[in-house]
Amino acid sequence: MAVRLPEIDVVLVGGGMTAAIVGKELAEAGQRVVALERGQMRQTVPDFQSPTMHDELTYSIRHALMQNPEQQTITFRNRPDQTPLPMRRLGSFLPGEGVGGAMVHWNGVTWRFQPEWFELKSWTEERYGRGFVSDEVTIQDWGVTYDELEPYYDFFEKICGTGGLPYGDLTGGNPFGGRRSNPYPNPPMKEPYALNLFRTAAAGMGYSPFPAPSSNATRHYVNPYGAELKPCMYCGYCERHGCEHFAKASPQVSILPAALANPNFEMRTGAWVTRIEHDPDAGIVTGVTYVDAAGREVFQPASMVVLCAYAYHNAVLMLQSGIGQPYDPATQTGTVGRNYCYQTFGGATVFFDGTVRFNPYMGAGALGVVIDDFNNGSMDHSELGFLGGASTSVSQASGRPIAFHPVPGDTPGWGLAWKEAVRRHYNSTLSISAQGSSLPHPNNYLGLDRTYTDAFGNPLGMLTFDFPDNDRRMAAFLTERCVEIGEAMGASVVEGNDLAEHYSIVPYQSTHNTGGTVMGADPTTSVVNRYLQSWDCHNLFVMGAGVFPQNAGYNPTGTVGALAYWAVDAIKNQYLRNPGPLVQA
Amino acid sequence: MKRAAALGIAVSLSAAAALAQSDPLGLGLPEPAAREEGDPVRGQAIALGGPFEDLGRVSCAQCHGIDGTGDDSGAFPRLAGQGAFYLYEALNDFATGARPNEVMSPIAAQLSDTDRRDVAAYFAAIEDAAYPAPRDANADLLQRGGALAAIGGIGGDVPACDSCHGAQGAGVPPVYPTLGGQHEAYLVQQLELFRSGERGSDALGVMRAIAALLSDDDIAAVAAYYASVRPEPSP
């Protein structure tokens, strides 16, 4: 028998970025809020302090800050006719575990998506005609526009202390970006030599380089919550590591100090949510069941449940709880699990002769120079044969000794020749990376596995994914452009980085998983409405990148943050006054 | 063509100026061409030679010791084994007044850019200078200082000193100075100067912001700790 706790106003599933945002805001609105985090409490001091935090083996290679796949993982296959197998070691993506979630070990790149991205289907049909993409490309509109999200992007940048251009006034920056109400709250990062080479070459080719929008603070900064970020030291241990300097925006630095100061908010750690309880007849959720740190099953009744776990965890939890209709690829009906998307990369590795010295160990997660000339809204796709695009950049995020040893493709994989090549190329190699969009395909989805279960006996989530043809054509185009720029930079060797023949879950690619609980205006093709409210249960809301109907050619965190503030605004100012569906189906 | 000609004039003027000013320290050390790499041999000649006629021929060694060990008065830090770039920047900061000091500022101001690099290279190259005998320090104080240094503290707002300065304050060149084995009174004094804002030479104000959160007891503890440890050579 589960222990039944007294009812509370709001339960948040998860203790990461969106839980911190929703918890802070709803506690301030007078709601009693508890966040259920399966991992442990973690704070900048003492948990992220160096030199311990610079232990690359522990944190970067052995994933100390991330989900433990021995307790729960997902199974994977490329196509629906294959047998899925469990991912027993984290590979292609790295969900977090513990307070702060994946925002503890992110890099800090904080984009706004281009405006047309939110109305992709309408925009594509209007611009290129109805038949431009095949029916297999199940793109859709988000039900929210860039202009509606703009104030929330602006606020999220202020919370993160994002630095970039425009700074000071509204001039400069990305010429292909959407309208801004304010410049970035902080100046951009310093520009090391490798980035300057890219800037010079790209500008010479007629492109428009600008500094990557970075939430690695560039100066002392106090955010609207009164939290202080301190300047980045360019130590190069951002991604996969916690920041010892209070410089990288994380829930611990930017949001939780304010949230935890409010007695209405509780962060309950060691609480593993196994089920959302719901009453299908009434169309409401009644609370959640979790297993606490002592192994007891606990029922926490609540007037509202907000799913704030990692992108695909939210979809899996809804499937495990039987809320909404599961997506079925055979009939292409159902919504939960639909439109799983990822990120599609093109790029080039650019080798210079040994007199060029980049000092790659001097870096920061979001230290980059970018061109947006190849992003979706920047190009005319009429003759290109694909839809989508990429933010294309050279970044200097890390030259860490285990992971960073670029060598030309014809180098042996081990032995003296490999060592000599590492020595030769370590300090004079850079990568141009085109971080491309990912468009949905009917075969790419999240479901439940029939064979494998997690530590609590619940079926594992099951991922079916391969790169759609549209995205393959895009990646090939992007790689060609990256090679051209690399050659213009005066390199000795430029190698194009082609997309793998099939997506593999083994090598790390990107922790930018999206979809599965997508938002939209039509309940037959979306799980949540434009306010991230479940179509099935009006007191259930879903945060995170799982609500993206398709993934853009950018890092997702800025949009996840903006959507969280947008949804919280609707909850505070509409839903709490008059609980019920905010959009009629 | 015009521009090239103007450039030629500029070059010959500066060459003439260099000739006129050769041996400005009066030590038989002609001013070399500008360079980035410090020369420790020339630096040693400056450090020990007693230039600065108008300052009474004072030498670096007179106060900091021949091998840069300094003393525990608080006024004369240990320079031996300190990062060369850090020492060079310190001389620059003394000269510009970013780090005001009645004794060091006029001395640094008389050194050319190359002199500063050379002196810095000399003291940085001294590896085996002796440390003073360990003092009897209060164990609680050392414990508190060691915790601050290794994991940070003060309500979770102060990062560990070692995060930037390296394990046991070994220093992380080029920017972060060695703290391990530095004199206690000097460390106390510098943290107080950061806290009051008088020492304004820290990049991005990082040390001023950290020191502002430290109490007198915190400063005493962390200074006692770093004075008690010896920097480990980096692996």
Side-chain angles (χ1 to χ4, degrees), chain A residues 45-46 48-51 54 218-220 228 230-233 244-246, chain B residues 150-153 156-160 162-164 167 176 204-206 209:
Chain A
V45 172
F48 305 153
Q49 292 303 296
S50 263
H54 287 200
T218 51
R219 57 173 186 167
H220 287 277
E228 187 186 349
K230 295 173 180 166
C232 172
M233 298 285 107
E244 68 264 39
H245 299 292
F246 299 88
Chain B
I151 58 176
D157 290 330
V158 173
D162 284 357
S163 282
C164 291
Y176 304 104
L204 299 165
V206 168

PDB file of all heavy atoms in Angstrom, chain A residues 45-46 48-51 54 218-220 228 230-233 244-246, chain B residues 150-153 156-160 162-164 167 176 204-206 209:
ATOM      1  N   VAL A  45      28.798  25.089  -4.491  1.00  0.00           N
ATOM      2  CA  VAL A  45      29.700  24.792  -3.372  1.00  0.00           C
ATOM      3  C   VAL A  45      28.963  23.825  -2.457  1.00  0.00           C
ATOM      4  O   VAL A  45      27.864  24.136  -2.013  1.00  0.00           O
ATOM      5  CB  VAL A  45      30.064  26.082  -2.599  1.00  0.00           C
ATOM      6  CG1 VAL A  45      30.833  25.727  -1.333  1.00  0.00           C
ATOM      7  CG2 VAL A  45      30.877  27.034  -3.456  1.00  0.00           C
ATOM      8  N   PRO A  46      29.471  22.645  -2.197  1.00  0.00           N
ATOM      9  CA  PRO A  46      30.807  22.145  -2.539  1.00  0.00           C
ATOM     10  C   PRO A  46      30.847  21.233  -3.774  1.00  0.00           C
ATOM     11  O   PRO A  46      31.930  20.859  -4.202  1.00  0.00           O
ATOM     12  CB  PRO A  46      31.154  21.302  -1.310  1.00  0.00           C
ATOM     13  CG  PRO A  46      29.832  20.706  -0.906  1.00  0.00           C
ATOM     14  CD  PRO A  46      28.787  21.766  -1.228  1.00  0.00           C
ATOM     15  N   PHE A  48      30.517  21.246  -7.078  1.00  0.00           N
ATOM     16  CA  PHE A  48      31.105  21.489  -8.404  1.00  0.00           C
ATOM     17  C   PHE A  48      32.515  22.086  -8.327  1.00  0.00           C
ATOM     18  O   PHE A  48      33.013  22.628  -9.323  1.00  0.00           O
ATOM     19  CB  PHE A  48      30.211  22.444  -9.219  1.00  0.00           C
ATOM     20  CG  PHE A  48      28.779  21.967  -9.357  1.00  0.00           C
ATOM     21  CD1 PHE A  48      27.755  22.885  -9.542  1.00  0.00           C
ATOM     22  CD2 PHE A  48      28.467  20.616  -9.305  1.00  0.00           C
ATOM     23  CE1 PHE A  48      26.435  22.458  -9.660  1.00  0.00           C
ATOM     24  CE2 PHE A  48      27.146  20.183  -9.420  1.00  0.00           C
ATOM     25  CZ  PHE A  48      26.138  21.105  -9.600  1.00  0.00           C
ATOM     26  N   GLN A  49      33.138  22.025  -7.147  1.00  0.00           N
ATOM     27  CA  GLN A  49      34.406  22.738  -7.016  1.00  0.00           C
ATOM     28  C   GLN A  49      35.581  21.955  -7.594  1.00  0.00           C
ATOM     29  O   GLN A  49      35.607  20.732  -7.620  1.00  0.00           O
ATOM     30  CB  GLN A  49      34.653  23.084  -5.544  1.00  0.00           C
ATOM     31  CG  GLN A  49      33.665  24.131  -5.036  1.00  0.00           C
ATOM     32  CD  GLN A  49      33.702  25.404  -5.873  1.00  0.00           C
ATOM     33  OE1 GLN A  49      34.710  26.093  -5.925  1.00  0.00           O
ATOM     34  NE2 GLN A  49      32.595  25.706  -6.557  1.00  0.00           N
ATOM     35  N   SER A  50      36.549  22.716  -8.044  1.00  0.00           N
ATOM     36  CA  SER A  50      37.751  22.160  -8.649  1.00  0.00           C
ATOM     37  C   SER A  50      38.872  22.122  -7.640  1.00  0.00           C
ATOM     38  O   SER A  50      38.777  22.801  -6.642  1.00  0.00           O
ATOM     39  CB  SER A  50      38.177  23.048  -9.820  1.00  0.00           C
ATOM     40  OG  SER A  50      37.682  22.503 -10.983  1.00  0.00           O
ATOM     41  N   PRO A  51      39.924  21.390  -7.872  1.00  0.00           N
ATOM     42  CA  PRO A  51      40.261  20.627  -9.077  1.00  0.00           C
ATOM     43  C   PRO A  51      39.405  19.370  -9.300  1.00  0.00           C
ATOM     44  O   PRO A  51      39.433  18.827 -10.394  1.00  0.00           O
ATOM     45  CB  PRO A  51      41.725  20.226  -8.865  1.00  0.00           C
ATOM     46  CG  PRO A  51      42.208  21.000  -7.708  1.00  0.00           C
ATOM     47  CD  PRO A  51      41.037  21.420  -6.917  1.00  0.00           C
ATOM     48  N   HIS A  54      37.395  19.071 -12.429  1.00  0.00           N
ATOM     49  CA  HIS A  54      38.116  18.940 -13.701  1.00  0.00           C
ATOM     50  C   HIS A  54      38.611  17.507 -13.915  1.00  0.00           C
ATOM     51  O   HIS A  54      39.523  17.282 -14.713  1.00  0.00           O
ATOM     52  CB  HIS A  54      39.277  19.931 -13.762  1.00  0.00           C
ATOM     53  CG  HIS A  54      38.798  21.343 -13.961  1.00  0.00           C
ATOM     54  ND1 HIS A  54      39.609  22.338 -14.439  1.00  0.00           N
ATOM     55  CD2 HIS A  54      37.594  21.919 -13.768  1.00  0.00           C
ATOM     56  CE1 HIS A  54      38.917  23.477 -14.509  1.00  0.00           C
ATOM     57  NE2 HIS A  54      37.698  23.232 -14.097  1.00  0.00           N
ATOM     58  N   THR A 218      29.832  36.949 -18.778  1.00  0.00           N
ATOM     59  CA  THR A 218      31.027  37.675 -19.189  1.00  0.00           C
ATOM     60  C   THR A 218      31.405  38.772 -18.198  1.00  0.00           C
ATOM     61  O   THR A 218      32.371  39.490 -18.414  1.00  0.00           O
ATOM     62  CB  THR A 218      30.820  38.291 -20.581  1.00  0.00           C
ATOM     63  OG1 THR A 218      29.583  39.026 -20.580  1.00  0.00           O
ATOM     64  CG2 THR A 218      30.744  37.214 -21.649  1.00  0.00           C
ATOM     65  N   ARG A 219      30.634  38.898 -17.124  1.00  0.00           N
ATOM     66  CA  ARG A 219      30.972  39.882 -16.087  1.00  0.00           C
ATOM     67  C   ARG A 219      30.110  39.573 -14.863  1.00  0.00           C
ATOM     68  O   ARG A 219      29.219  38.737 -14.917  1.00  0.00           O
ATOM     69  CB  ARG A 219      30.693  41.311 -16.575  1.00  0.00           C
ATOM     70  CG  ARG A 219      29.247  41.471 -16.987  1.00  0.00           C
ATOM     71  CD  ARG A 219      28.888  42.907 -17.304  1.00  0.00           C
ATOM     72  NE  ARG A 219      27.450  43.008 -17.563  1.00  0.00           N
ATOM     73  CZ  ARG A 219      26.795  44.149 -17.630  1.00  0.00           C
ATOM     74  NH1 ARG A 219      27.424  45.284 -17.469  1.00  0.00           N
ATOM     75  NH2 ARG A 219      25.498  44.148 -17.856  1.00  0.00           N
ATOM     76  N   HIS A 220      30.365  40.259 -13.756  1.00  0.00           N
ATOM     77  CA  HIS A 220      29.469  40.125 -12.603  1.00  0.00           C
ATOM     78  C   HIS A 220      28.100  40.650 -13.009  1.00  0.00           C
ATOM     79  O   HIS A 220      27.980  41.720 -13.600  1.00  0.00           O
ATOM     80  CB  HIS A 220      30.004  40.932 -11.414  1.00  0.00           C
ATOM     81  CG  HIS A 220      31.192  40.304 -10.776  1.00  0.00           C
ATOM     82  ND1 HIS A 220      31.091  39.304  -9.843  1.00  0.00           N
ATOM     83  CD2 HIS A 220      32.516  40.510 -10.952  1.00  0.00           C
ATOM     84  CE1 HIS A 220      32.295  38.930  -9.462  1.00  0.00           C
ATOM     85  NE2 HIS A 220      33.179  39.645 -10.124  1.00  0.00           N
ATOM     86  N   GLU A 228      23.299  36.150  -8.344  1.00  0.00           N
ATOM     87  CA  GLU A 228      24.510  36.727  -8.928  1.00  0.00           C
ATOM     88  C   GLU A 228      25.288  35.694  -9.731  1.00  0.00           C
ATOM     89  O   GLU A 228      25.620  34.624  -9.230  1.00  0.00           O
ATOM     90  CB  GLU A 228      25.413  37.290  -7.829  1.00  0.00           C
ATOM     91  CG  GLU A 228      26.601  38.056  -8.417  1.00  0.00           C
ATOM     92  CD  GLU A 228      27.603  38.523  -7.375  1.00  0.00           C
ATOM     93  OE1 GLU A 228      27.307  38.445  -6.179  1.00  0.00           O
ATOM     94  OE2 GLU A 228      28.694  38.939  -7.800  1.00  0.00           O
ATOM     95  N   LYS A 230      28.904  35.092 -11.772  1.00  0.00           N
ATOM     96  CA  LYS A 230      30.254  35.646 -11.725  1.00  0.00           C
ATOM     97  C   LYS A 230      30.950  35.365 -13.057  1.00  0.00           C
ATOM     98  O   LYS A 230      30.552  34.458 -13.781  1.00  0.00           O
ATOM     99  CB  LYS A 230      31.019  35.025 -10.555  1.00  0.00           C
ATOM    100  CG  LYS A 230      30.389  35.433  -9.217  1.00  0.00           C
ATOM    101  CD  LYS A 230      30.975  34.725  -8.023  1.00  0.00           C
ATOM    102  CE  LYS A 230      30.263  35.228  -6.769  1.00  0.00           C
ATOM    103  NZ  LYS A 230      30.517  34.399  -5.590  1.00  0.00           N
ATOM    104  N   PRO A 231      31.998  36.140 -13.375  1.00  0.00           N
ATOM    105  CA  PRO A 231      32.555  36.022 -14.734  1.00  0.00           C
ATOM    106  C   PRO A 231      33.190  34.668 -15.021  1.00  0.00           C
ATOM    107  O   PRO A 231      33.821  34.065 -14.166  1.00  0.00           O
ATOM    108  CB  PRO A 231      33.595  37.139 -14.794  1.00  0.00           C
ATOM    109  CG  PRO A 231      33.624  37.778 -13.489  1.00  0.00           C
ATOM    110  CD  PRO A 231      32.615  37.192 -12.589  1.00  0.00           C
ATOM    111  N   CYS A 232      33.022  34.228 -16.253  1.00  0.00           N
ATOM    112  CA  CYS A 232      33.597  32.984 -16.748  1.00  0.00           C
ATOM    113  C   CYS A 232      35.109  33.107 -16.815  1.00  0.00           C
ATOM    114  O   CYS A 232      35.649  34.126 -17.222  1.00  0.00           O
ATOM    115  CB  CYS A 232      33.028  32.687 -18.133  1.00  0.00           C
ATOM    116  SG  CYS A 232      33.818  31.294 -18.945  1.00  0.00           S
ATOM    117  N   MET A 233      35.804  32.028 -16.442  1.00  0.00           N
ATOM    118  CA  MET A 233      37.270  31.978 -16.447  1.00  0.00           C
ATOM    119  C   MET A 233      37.820  31.223 -17.658  1.00  0.00           C
ATOM    120  O   MET A 233      39.003  30.974 -17.741  1.00  0.00           O
ATOM    121  CB  MET A 233      37.772  31.320 -15.160  1.00  0.00           C
ATOM    122  CG  MET A 233      37.409  32.055 -13.896  1.00  0.00           C
ATOM    123  SD  MET A 233      38.401  33.537 -13.659  1.00  0.00           S
ATOM    124  CE  MET A 233      37.207  34.803 -14.011  1.00  0.00           C
ATOM    125  N   GLU A 244      32.306  25.556 -11.488  1.00  0.00           N
ATOM    126  CA  GLU A 244      32.752  25.932 -10.146  1.00  0.00           C
ATOM    127  C   GLU A 244      32.734  27.439  -9.921  1.00  0.00           C
ATOM    128  O   GLU A 244      32.856  27.905  -8.812  1.00  0.00           O
ATOM    129  CB  GLU A 244      34.160  25.387  -9.877  1.00  0.00           C
ATOM    130  CG  GLU A 244      35.275  26.029 -10.697  1.00  0.00           C
ATOM    131  CD  GLU A 244      35.625  25.227 -11.940  1.00  0.00           C
ATOM    132  OE1 GLU A 244      34.687  24.705 -12.578  1.00  0.00           O
ATOM    133  OE2 GLU A 244      36.820  25.134 -12.252  1.00  0.00           O
ATOM    134  N   HIS A 245      32.594  28.197 -10.985  1.00  0.00           N
ATOM    135  CA  HIS A 245      32.799  29.647 -10.894  1.00  0.00           C
ATOM    136  C   HIS A 245      31.505  30.451 -10.771  1.00  0.00           C
ATOM    137  O   HIS A 245      31.545  31.674 -10.868  1.00  0.00           O
ATOM    138  CB  HIS A 245      33.560  30.148 -12.125  1.00  0.00           C
ATOM    139  CG  HIS A 245      34.924  29.539 -12.278  1.00  0.00           C
ATOM    140  ND1 HIS A 245      35.938  29.806 -11.398  1.00  0.00           N
ATOM    141  CD2 HIS A 245      35.427  28.670 -13.180  1.00  0.00           C
ATOM    142  CE1 HIS A 245      37.023  29.136 -11.771  1.00  0.00           C
ATOM    143  NE2 HIS A 245      36.737  28.433 -12.849  1.00  0.00           N
ATOM    144  N   PHE A 246      30.354  29.803 -10.632  1.00  0.00           N
ATOM    145  CA  PHE A 246      29.069  30.523 -10.640  1.00  0.00           C
ATOM    146  C   PHE A 246      28.895  31.306 -11.946  1.00  0.00           C
ATOM    147  O   PHE A 246      28.236  32.338 -11.982  1.00  0.00           O
ATOM    148  CB  PHE A 246      28.954  31.506  -9.464  1.00  0.00           C
ATOM    149  CG  PHE A 246      29.029  30.883  -8.097  1.00  0.00           C
ATOM    150  CD1 PHE A 246      30.242  30.685  -7.466  1.00  0.00           C
ATOM    151  CD2 PHE A 246      27.862  30.509  -7.437  1.00  0.00           C
ATOM    152  CE1 PHE A 246      30.313  30.119  -6.206  1.00  0.00           C
ATOM    153  CE2 PHE A 246      27.924  29.937  -6.171  1.00  0.00           C
ATOM    154  CZ  PHE A 246      29.149  29.745  -5.553  1.00  0.00           C
TER     155      PHE A 246
ATOM    156  N   ALA B 150      39.682  24.303  -0.458  1.00  0.00           N
ATOM    157  CA  ALA B 150      39.435  23.109  -1.261  1.00  0.00           C
ATOM    158  C   ALA B 150      38.000  23.004  -1.759  1.00  0.00           C
ATOM    159  O   ALA B 150      37.761  22.507  -2.853  1.00  0.00           O
ATOM    160  CB  ALA B 150      39.798  21.864  -0.458  1.00  0.00           C
ATOM    161  N   ILE B 151      37.026  23.450  -0.961  1.00  0.00           N
ATOM    162  CA  ILE B 151      35.638  23.285  -1.390  1.00  0.00           C
ATOM    163  C   ILE B 151      34.818  24.563  -1.342  1.00  0.00           C
ATOM    164  O   ILE B 151      33.652  24.570  -1.717  1.00  0.00           O
ATOM    165  CB  ILE B 151      34.903  22.180  -0.578  1.00  0.00           C
ATOM    166  CG1 ILE B 151      34.938  22.495   0.909  1.00  0.00           C
ATOM    167  CG2 ILE B 151      35.460  20.805  -0.869  1.00  0.00           C
ATOM    168  CD1 ILE B 151      34.146  21.509   1.744  1.00  0.00           C
ATOM    169  N   GLY B 152      35.380  25.653  -0.872  1.00  0.00           N
ATOM    170  CA  GLY B 152      34.615  26.895  -0.807  1.00  0.00           C
ATOM    171  C   GLY B 152      33.728  26.922   0.420  1.00  0.00           C
ATOM    172  O   GLY B 152      33.831  26.078   1.295  1.00  0.00           O
ATOM    173  N   GLY B 153      32.854  27.913   0.469  1.00  0.00           N
ATOM    174  CA  GLY B 153      31.992  27.989   1.642  1.00  0.00           C
ATOM    175  C   GLY B 153      31.256  29.290   1.758  1.00  0.00           C
ATOM    176  O   GLY B 153      30.855  29.881   0.762  1.00  0.00           O
ATOM    177  N   GLY B 156      27.716  28.974   0.820  1.00  0.00           N
ATOM    178  CA  GLY B 156      27.646  28.471  -0.550  1.00  0.00           C
ATOM    179  C   GLY B 156      27.947  29.508  -1.609  1.00  0.00           C
ATOM    180  O   GLY B 156      27.784  29.251  -2.785  1.00  0.00           O
ATOM    181  N   ASP B 157      28.427  30.693  -1.230  1.00  0.00           N
ATOM    182  CA  ASP B 157      28.635  31.760  -2.214  1.00  0.00           C
ATOM    183  C   ASP B 157      30.091  31.928  -2.648  1.00  0.00           C
ATOM    184  O   ASP B 157      30.360  32.654  -3.609  1.00  0.00           O
ATOM    185  CB  ASP B 157      28.142  33.098  -1.653  1.00  0.00           C
ATOM    186  CG  ASP B 157      26.627  33.126  -1.558  1.00  0.00           C
ATOM    187  OD1 ASP B 157      25.979  32.457  -2.390  1.00  0.00           O
ATOM    188  OD2 ASP B 157      26.096  33.803  -0.663  1.00  0.00           O
ATOM    189  N   VAL B 158      31.020  31.323  -1.918  1.00  0.00           N
ATOM    190  CA  VAL B 158      32.434  31.516  -2.243  1.00  0.00           C
ATOM    191  C   VAL B 158      32.987  30.243  -2.869  1.00  0.00           C
ATOM    192  O   VAL B 158      32.963  29.189  -2.249  1.00  0.00           O
ATOM    193  CB  VAL B 158      33.239  31.870  -0.972  1.00  0.00           C
ATOM    194  CG1 VAL B 158      34.731  31.911  -1.284  1.00  0.00           C
ATOM    195  CG2 VAL B 158      32.786  33.212  -0.422  1.00  0.00           C
ATOM    196  N   PRO B 159      33.477  30.340  -4.115  1.00  0.00           N
ATOM    197  CA  PRO B 159      34.059  29.148  -4.724  1.00  0.00           C
ATOM    198  C   PRO B 159      35.379  28.782  -4.055  1.00  0.00           C
ATOM    199  O   PRO B 159      36.014  29.627  -3.425  1.00  0.00           O
ATOM    200  CB  PRO B 159      34.280  29.572  -6.184  1.00  0.00           C
ATOM    201  CG  PRO B 159      34.362  31.052  -6.149  1.00  0.00           C
ATOM    202  CD  PRO B 159      33.530  31.519  -4.985  1.00  0.00           C
ATOM    203  N   ALA B 160      35.762  27.533  -4.211  1.00  0.00           N
ATOM    204  CA  ALA B 160      37.028  27.076  -3.656  1.00  0.00           C
ATOM    205  C   ALA B 160      38.186  27.849  -4.281  1.00  0.00           C
ATOM    206  O   ALA B 160      38.227  28.022  -5.497  1.00  0.00           O
ATOM    207  CB  ALA B 160      37.193  25.579  -3.921  1.00  0.00           C
ATOM    208  N   ASP B 162      41.121  26.803  -4.628  1.00  0.00           N
ATOM    209  CA  ASP B 162      41.861  25.865  -5.470  1.00  0.00           C
ATOM    210  C   ASP B 162      41.232  25.719  -6.859  1.00  0.00           C
ATOM    211  O   ASP B 162      41.892  25.240  -7.783  1.00  0.00           O
ATOM    212  CB  ASP B 162      41.907  24.476  -4.806  1.00  0.00           C
ATOM    213  CG  ASP B 162      42.912  24.421  -3.657  1.00  0.00           C
ATOM    214  OD1 ASP B 162      43.604  25.435  -3.434  1.00  0.00           O
ATOM    215  OD2 ASP B 162      42.996  23.372  -2.994  1.00  0.00           O
ATOM    216  N   SER B 163      39.943  26.095  -7.022  1.00  0.00           N
ATOM    217  CA  SER B 163      39.312  25.993  -8.339  1.00  0.00           C
ATOM    218  C   SER B 163      40.126  26.744  -9.379  1.00  0.00           C
ATOM    219  O   SER B 163      40.220  26.314 -10.525  1.00  0.00           O
ATOM    220  CB  SER B 163      37.891  26.568  -8.309  1.00  0.00           C
ATOM    221  OG  SER B 163      37.000  25.655  -7.723  1.00  0.00           O
ATOM    222  N   CYS B 164      40.660  27.880  -9.002  1.00  0.00           N
ATOM    223  CA  CYS B 164      41.480  28.642  -9.950  1.00  0.00           C
ATOM    224  C   CYS B 164      42.975  28.471  -9.673  1.00  0.00           C
ATOM    225  O   CYS B 164      43.768  28.400 -10.598  1.00  0.00           O
ATOM    226  CB  CYS B 164      41.133  30.127  -9.891  1.00  0.00           C
ATOM    227  SG  CYS B 164      39.503  30.524 -10.541  1.00  0.00           S
ATOM    228  N   ALA B 167      45.378  22.738  -6.970  1.00  0.00           N
ATOM    229  CA  ALA B 167      45.420  21.984  -5.712  1.00  0.00           C
ATOM    230  C   ALA B 167      46.558  22.501  -4.838  1.00  0.00           C
ATOM    231  O   ALA B 167      47.672  22.711  -5.317  1.00  0.00           O
ATOM    232  CB  ALA B 167      45.602  20.503  -6.006  1.00  0.00           C
ATOM    233  N   TYR B 176      46.927  32.517 -12.874  1.00  0.00           N
ATOM    234  CA  TYR B 176      46.609  32.347 -11.459  1.00  0.00           C
ATOM    235  C   TYR B 176      47.867  32.093 -10.641  1.00  0.00           C
ATOM    236  O   TYR B 176      48.556  31.088 -10.851  1.00  0.00           O
ATOM    237  CB  TYR B 176      45.628  31.185 -11.282  1.00  0.00           C
ATOM    238  CG  TYR B 176      44.371  31.372 -12.091  1.00  0.00           C
ATOM    239  CD1 TYR B 176      44.172  30.663 -13.265  1.00  0.00           C
ATOM    240  CD2 TYR B 176      43.406  32.296 -11.687  1.00  0.00           C
ATOM    241  CE1 TYR B 176      43.022  30.852 -14.019  1.00  0.00           C
ATOM    242  CE2 TYR B 176      42.258  32.479 -12.427  1.00  0.00           C
ATOM    243  CZ  TYR B 176      42.068  31.765 -13.607  1.00  0.00           C
ATOM    244  OH  TYR B 176      40.941  31.947 -14.348  1.00  0.00           O
ATOM    245  N   LEU B 204      38.407  41.208 -14.259  1.00  0.00           N
ATOM    246  CA  LEU B 204      36.947  41.168 -14.123  1.00  0.00           C
ATOM    247  C   LEU B 204      36.475  41.333 -12.671  1.00  0.00           C
ATOM    248  O   LEU B 204      35.330  41.037 -12.347  1.00  0.00           O
ATOM    249  CB  LEU B 204      36.379  39.852 -14.686  1.00  0.00           C
ATOM    250  CG  LEU B 204      36.634  39.614 -16.180  1.00  0.00           C
ATOM    251  CD1 LEU B 204      36.367  38.163 -16.539  1.00  0.00           C
ATOM    252  CD2 LEU B 204      35.769  40.535 -17.016  1.00  0.00           C
ATOM    253  N   GLY B 205      37.370  41.788 -11.788  1.00  0.00           N
ATOM    254  CA  GLY B 205      36.948  42.018 -10.401  1.00  0.00           C
ATOM    255  C   GLY B 205      36.644  40.754  -9.633  1.00  0.00           C
ATOM    256  O   GLY B 205      35.954  40.796  -8.605  1.00  0.00           O
ATOM    257  N   VAL B 206      37.177  39.627 -10.108  1.00  0.00           N
ATOM    258  CA  VAL B 206      36.833  38.353  -9.465  1.00  0.00           C
ATOM    259  C   VAL B 206      37.304  38.309  -8.017  1.00  0.00           C
ATOM    260  O   VAL B 206      36.545  37.949  -7.112  1.00  0.00           O
ATOM    261  CB  VAL B 206      37.441  37.185 -10.272  1.00  0.00           C
ATOM    262  CG1 VAL B 206      37.355  35.891  -9.483  1.00  0.00           C
ATOM    263  CG2 VAL B 206      36.701  37.039 -11.586  1.00  0.00           C
ATOM    264  N   ALA B 209      35.343  40.626  -5.641  1.00  0.00           N
ATOM    265  CA  ALA B 209      34.007  40.115  -5.300  1.00  0.00           C
ATOM    266  C   ALA B 209      34.090  38.985  -4.287  1.00  0.00           C
ATOM    267  O   ALA B 209      33.259  38.890  -3.380  1.00  0.00           O
ATOM    268  CB  ALA B 209      33.295  39.636  -6.560  1.00  0.00           C
TER     269      ALA B 209
END
